[in-house]
Amino acid sequence: IAEWLPTGEETTVITTSTVADDKLERISWEREADKVRQYDPDFHIPTDYPVYDDDPPERRQEHCQKCAAGTAWMANELADTDVSIIPLIKGATPDERAICERQAADMDADMLALYGSQYFGVGGGGGRSALVEAVEAINVETNCMPMLVLGGLSPWTAKELPTNAVAVSGLRAWREAVEPRSSPPDAMRREYAALGAAVSSALDLTPRQAVSGAASDD
């Protein structure tokens, strides 16, 4: 990506801990913090834990608590850096989400993040309608806090999201449009700009706000 995306002061880098579950199990908070320090992004979305609707309620609650605790730990661990923390909201119910939402409020966070990709994963997570429902619920629960939706980069998804979704990111949507393994640099830039414009229109935002490149920390 670094070879053809814009660089310099106009580029904002966001990293995230939202990786495949088998990898997630092997990433300690300390290892994650070390990687963030090495990469030195502008923002980081920390300490993801898997939470699915069909998990036992006690497991969902435990993972929400771990995500919230990890977020607080990461904010303190990176306090001597210029990296800002975007809290990740986990949970299948209002009470579960409230665990992470309270942590975000305690941190005076300016933005929240939701891992939307799991709604489109293997086995089905409810798809676009379930994602929109979750974003709408968090909008109400957090009094319209701005949100970055990870995995919501498709214009068809972005146009359905509530107004609290002010930024989206994703891999599949831009890979399909840009074809980075086969297209020349000029063509990739044109397709990326076109995708940005389409998503911006769907979110009713400027292109710079709409296309967010969230990179895995692993």
Side-chain angles (χ1 to χ4, degrees):
I1 299 174
E3 294 181 357
W4 60 272
L5 283 182
T7 57
E9 294 183 359
E10 294 185 357
T11 302
T12 299
V13 177
I14 304 174
T15 54
T16 172
S17 59
T18 51
V19 298
D21 291 347
D22 59 339
K23 293 183 179 180
L24 197 57
E25 293 177 351
R26 301 193 296 271
I27 303 175
S28 65
W29 295 354
E30 290 80 8
R31 182 186 176 198
E32 181 178 331
D34 287 344
K35 286 180 172 288
V36 174
R37 285 182 179 277
Q38 293 170 18
Y39 199 72
D40 192 28
D42 298 287
F43 298 90
H44 180 60
I45 303 167
T47 58
D48 183 29
Y49 283 84
V51 177
Y52 300 102
D53 288 359
D54 57 357
D55 287 340
E58 59 274 14
R59 176 180 172 86
R60 295 200 309 258
Q61 183 173 18
E62 177 188 1
H63 281 193
C64 290
Q65 291 170 338
K66 286 183 176 180
C67 180
T71 299
W73 183 90
M74 194 68 65
N76 182 70
E77 181 69 16
L78 300 178
D80 61 340
T81 74
D82 293 328
V83 180
S84 297
I85 296 297
I86 301 177
L88 184 63
I89 304 301
K90 306 293 293 190
T93 68
D95 287 344
E96 291 166 3
R97 290 190 295 267
I99 297 169
C100 294
E101 291 166 353
R102 284 193 296 268
Q103 181 57 58
D106 289 344
M107 295 170 56
D108 291 324
D110 295 323
M111 177 177 283
L112 309 173
L114 178 69
Y115 184 50
S117 298
Q118 73 180 62
Y119 292 90
F120 305 97
V122 176
R128 187 187 309 170
S129 61
L131 172 60
V132 171
E133 184 178 338
V135 176
E136 289 175 339
I138 295 170
N139 189 32
V140 173
E141 293 160 4
T142 63
N143 194 25
C144 307
M145 276 283 290
M147 174 173 287
L148 162 60
V149 179
L150 304 168
L153 187 60
S154 165
W156 297 104
T157 298
K159 72 177 182 178
E160 300 292 336
L161 295 174
T163 55
N164 58 320
V166 300
V168 292
S169 73
L171 290 175
R172 180 178 298 178
W174 75 260
R175 280 178 173 169
E176 290 179 350
V178 173
E179 298 181 331
R181 295 184 181 274
S182 58
S183 299
D186 287 348
M188 287 192 287
R189 293 188 183 98
R190 286 195 302 270
E191 292 300 326
Y192 187 84
L195 175 62
V199 176
S200 299
S201 177
L203 291 174
D204 193 24
L205 298 171
T206 63
R208 189 177 301 171
Q209 291 173 296
V211 179
S212 171
S216 164
D217 78 308
D218 189 47

